[in-house]
Amino acid sequence: MPSSAPPTPVPAKRVERASSSADETREPATFRAGTVALLGRPNVGKSTLLNSLLGERIAITSHHPQTTRDRIAGIVTKDDVQLVFLDTPGFHSAKNRLGERMNELAKQAAADCDVAIFMTDVDAKTAQSGGVRPEDEKILATIPAGKPTLIVLNKVDKVHPKELLFPVLEAYSKLRDVHALVPVSALKGSGVERIVAEVGKLLPEGEHLYDAEEISDKPLRFFVAEFVREQVLKRTRQEVPHGVAVTVEAFEDGKKQTRIAVTVHVAKESHKGIIIGDGGKMLREIGTAARKRAEQLLGAKVHLETWVKANPRWFDDPKQLAELGYEEGAPAKRPSRSGPNKKKKKAARAGSPARNPR
Ligand code: GDP
Ligand code: MG
């Protein structure tokens, strides 16, 4: 997947053609735009799909479940369609307030979206048993009746021969009246274009919700915090990850470089030691890897300072959750299609990553 030097943005503008009377009288193609919720168990590959569709690594992925905590709107704009994706945290049994909040966010996304994508995964073993996972039935039930829905079966690269997929597809197709059932490999990028085509047909007619070159409505500082969190998840042992949050303390654009200071909040004093590592080695590695990704996204040199703070039980304390950005009132509202609001939205999103960071 190309992560540097993305292609020059192509504004969604109709190409001028040499005039012929037939072209001059032709109606413009219908443009469709709307929001799409990506729902499914943790680890089925929702963030990987989003990254594959965007062609840039925006959503963080990991082999630890529950990596995604926010609703990341990844924006995919094609000639005649714009899909605004809400990446949801994935349903799971909530063990604390953070877990509950994550389930609420996913449920809310299912209610708010124009089209719901329910994602599940297969491997050789589950394909052989051919059944539907009970958790999947529960998640499907949270999608309001009548909501246009697609079922996406991910990780089909793990199943050989492909005939093994047929009974699985059949079992899922019986669960709900869905518009389409799409087998994909988000990791390899196969089948993902069909998702765009199928969702496109279901979205309401309307103009762009976001500018064609934008890929997210989140500010750059959000992604820098996520990149740091991703490196912590990748490099630490099982006990640390779920107690980690990252905040950005400073974000200053200089002439030569952008100075960013982040704090990694951990739940226990002992986790602090793990993240800092011997002589600070682990923290340096985390910082270097996160800085490289931040430089790619920003298209500028970055000076990244990383601090670690023990913040006991932050994931159960409403006040601390709010401070860390997990309890900020209602989840993001559906973007409006009207003119004046669009301007306001743009100002609020100043600094959002666009497709041409360099
Ligand atoms: P999420 O929790 O649903 O967002 O899942 P992630 O996107 O973080 O993916 C979880 C894990 O599954 C990661 O290790 C991915 O690399 C892996 N994964 C995702 N999609 C595929 C796929 O199509 N094939 C295979 N083999 N692995 C995948
Ligand atoms: Mg995810």
Side-chain angles (χ1 to χ4, degrees), residues 232 235-236 240 264 266 268-287 306-310:
V232 173
R235 288 160 203 271
T236 53
V240 177
V264 179
V266 292
K268 286 183 191 162
E269 207 53 51
S270 60
H271 292 172
K272 211 168 129 180
I274 298 175
I275 288 178
I276 293 170
D278 272 348
K281 185 165 174 276
M282 172 79 94
L283 192 59
R284 270 198 305 279
E285 286 173 9
I286 289 168
T306 322
W307 305 85
V308 187
K309 197 170 147 191

Side-chain angles (χ1 to χ4, degrees), residues 60-82:
I60 73 167
T61 61
S62 88
H63 54 276
H64 294 296
Q66 302 161 32
T67 302
T68 312
R69 286 191 190 139
D70 287 81
R71 284 170 63 176
I72 298 172
I75 305 163
V76 177
T77 308
K78 304 273 168 178
D79 287 343
D80 54 1
V81 69
Q82 183 171 65

Side-chain angles (χ1 to χ4, degrees), residues 5 53-54 79 131 160-161 166 219 231 241 256 262:
L53 287 167
L54 292 171
D79 287 343
H160 304 280
F166 295 147
Q231 292 306 321
K256 290 210 177 117
V262 299

Side-chain angles (χ1 to χ4, degrees), residues 42-48 61-62 154-155 157-158 185-187:
N43 251 13
V44 294
K46 299 179 294 298
S47 298
T48 306
T61 61
S62 88
N154 190 30
K155 309 194 187 176
D157 56 286
K158 286 183 160 179
S185 168
L187 197 63

Side-chain angles (χ1 to χ4, degrees), residues 1 38 43-57 61 117 119-122 152-158 182-193 195:
M1 203 175 294
L38 258 177
N43 251 13
V44 294
K46 299 179 294 298
S47 298
T48 306
L49 173 68
L50 195 63
N51 286 329
S52 164
L53 287 167
L54 292 171
E56 309 210 10
R57 294 195 56 220
T61 61
I117 294 182
M119 189 187 242
T120 187
D121 61 350
V122 274
V152 170
L153 185 66
N154 190 30
K155 309 194 187 176
V156 298
D157 56 286
K158 286 183 160 179
V182 190
V184 303
S185 168
L187 197 63
K188 307 240 150 102
S190 65
V192 299
E193 283 308 317
I195 298 178

Side-chain angles (χ1 to χ4, degrees), residues 58-60 68-73 216-229 246 248 251 297 325-326 351 353:
I58 282 283
I60 73 167
T68 312
R69 286 191 190 139
D70 287 81
R71 284 170 63 176
I72 298 172
S216 176
D217 70 341
K218 288 269 162 65
L220 287 168
R221 55 194 296 140
F222 168 81
F223 291 100
V224 175
E226 284 290 278
F227 292 162
V228 174
R229 197 162 68 84
V246 178
V248 178
F251 198 110
L297 185 69
Y326 293 113

